[in-house]
Amino acid sequence: MTTDTVTQTTVEYLNSPFLKAIAQQIRANDSYGTYRNWSDELLLKPFIVTKAQKREISVDGDIDPITKGRILAFYRAIAHQIEEQTGALSQVVIDLSHEGFGWALIFSGRLLLVSRTLRDAQRFGFDSIEKLAIEGEKLTESGVALAHRFSDVRKL
Amino acid sequence: MTTDTVTQTTVEYLNSPFLKAIAQQIRANDSYGTYRNWSDELLLKPFIVTKAQKREISVDGDIDPITKGRILAFYRAIAHQIEEQTGALSQVVIDLSHEGFGWALIFSGRLLLVSRTLRDAQRFGFDSIEKLAIEGEKLTESGVALAHRFSDVRKL
C-alpha cells in the first residue's frame, strides 16, 4: 500500500459517522476551547496506539485521567450513535479499578446495549483510524440490534 | 416502643437472609481477620446512619474507601441473594464520581437486575437495621422478578 492509498482510506474513514461522533464528544467536553481549531484527524490521533507503543505503556500504575477520558469518549460516541438510530436514551458507565481492569457499560432502561470487560486500560487504543471506526461501528450495530430485539426491556 | 421491643425486632431482622449475606460479604473481604470475632450486629452497625448523623457528613470531598466498601457489600449481598434464588450469575458495578454521584448496577448477561442512581454517597446508610433489611430485600425481590421475566436477556 502506498502512502497515498493509506491517506485516502483515512480520509474516507474520517467521514464515518462514528468517528465524527467521537470528535463531537471530545469537543463537547472542551470547556476551555483548547481543541477549537483542531481537525477531527488531530483530535482522533491519540486513539491510535500501535502494538509497539502499547508495550511501552506501564500497566502498573493508575490509569491517567486523559486515557480515561478517551475511553469515555469512545463509549459515549457509541451510545450517541445507538440513540440516533433507535431513539434509546442511554447511559455510559466506565468502572475501572486502579489496576486498569473493569467494565464499560452502555445501558438503556434495564437493557445492556454494550457490555465489555476492560483490561490494561492504560493501553487503550487502536492500531489505526480504520480499526477505531470498524470497532466502534461493530459495537454500535450490535447495540442497535439488541435495542430493537428487546425494546420492552429498554423501555423499563 | 420499649427498648426490649426494639432489641427483639433487631434480633429478628438479624436472622434475615439479606443481613446475613451482607455480613458474609464483609467477612469475605476481611483478608486480615480483623472482624473474625465480631458479631453480625457489630459488622452491620456502620450501615446505620441516622438523619442527624448524615447531616454532619460533608458531601464536598471524595467518598472514602470504607464507605465505598460498604456500598459494594450492600449491592454484592443483593447480587448474591438474587443468584441464590435464580441461579443468575451477576456482576456488581459501582461507578462514583468524586462528588459522590453515580450508579450502582447489578447485571446478568444483558439484563440489569438492579439499576440505581447514587447521590451524596458519602452519607450512605440506613435509619435502622430493619430499614437496611427491608431495602435490601425489596431490591432483591425486584431483581429476582426481572431475572425470571427476562431470562432470555440474562442468558445472553
Side-chain angles (χ1 to χ4, degrees), chain A:
Chain A
M1 218 190 267
T2 66
T3 316
D4 272 6
T5 336
V6 174
T7 314
Q8 187 60 38
T9 327
T10 304
V11 169
E12 267 171 42
Y13 271 101
L14 280 171
N15 287 318
S16 97
F18 178 70
L19 294 184
K20 285 196 181 302
I22 298 192
Q24 198 183 349
Q25 284 301 323
I26 300 167
R27 291 203 169 90
N29 288 304
D30 182 25
S31 328
Y32 301 105
T34 319
Y35 307 130
R36 201 165 30 209
N37 300 317
W38 289 31
S39 68
D40 283 8
E41 195 174 1
L42 205 56
L43 283 180
L44 295 174
K45 213 172 173 185
F47 285 81
I48 310 312
V49 186
T50 63
K51 284 202 176 62
Q53 287 171 321
K54 282 185 184 177
R55 270 193 300 271
E56 279 166 33
I57 301 171
S58 161
V59 291
D60 286 337
D62 276 13
I63 183 164
D64 70 290
I66 294 171
T67 308
K68 194 175 172 184
R70 222 170 274 145
I71 298 175
L72 253 176
F74 177 74
Y75 287 99
R76 281 192 180 144
I78 295 168
H80 177 267
Q81 291 296 95
I82 297 175
E83 196 177 314
E84 284 241 309
Q85 292 176 44
T86 63
L89 282 171
S90 56
Q91 293 287 337
V92 177
V93 162
I94 306 294
D95 176 50
L96 284 173
S97 76
H98 292 297
E99 296 84 28
F101 281 75
W103 288 93
L105 305 172
I106 302 177
F107 59 98
S108 184
R110 293 302 190 119
L111 185 64
L112 279 167
L113 301 165
V114 172
S115 159
R116 304 202 96 193
T117 49
L118 300 172
R119 50 174 297 175
D120 297 343
Q122 297 92 335
R123 294 176 175 164
F124 180 80
F126 301 83
D127 282 346
S128 64
I129 199 89
E130 291 80 1
K131 288 262 171 71
L132 169 61
I134 289 167
E135 184 70 10
E137 278 157 18
K138 204 177 70 186
L139 287 170
T140 302
E141 268 170 42
S142 92
V144 166
L146 279 169
H148 286 310
R149 186 167 157 210
F150 298 110
S151 58
D152 48 345
V153 184
R154 78 165 164 85
K155 283 171 186 160
L156 277 181

Side-chain angles (χ1 to χ4, degrees), chain B residues 18 25 28 36 42 45 47-48 59 62 77 80 88 93 95 116 124 128 132 139 141:
Chain B
F18 178 69
Q25 285 301 323
R36 201 165 30 208
L42 205 56
K45 213 173 171 182
F47 286 81
I48 311 311
V59 291
D62 275 14
H80 177 268
V93 161
D95 175 51
R116 304 201 96 193
F124 180 79
S128 65
L132 168 62
L139 288 171
E141 269 170 43

Side-chain angles (χ1 to χ4, degrees), chain B residues 26-56:
Chain B
I26 300 167
R27 291 204 168 87
N29 288 305
D30 182 25
S31 327
Y32 301 105
T34 319
Y35 307 131
R36 201 165 30 208
N37 300 317
W38 290 32
S39 67
D40 283 9
E41 195 174 359
L42 205 56
L43 284 180
L44 295 174
K45 213 173 171 182
F47 286 81
I48 311 311
V49 185
T50 63
K51 284 202 174 64
Q53 287 171 323
K54 282 185 184 177
R55 270 192 301 270
E56 278 165 32

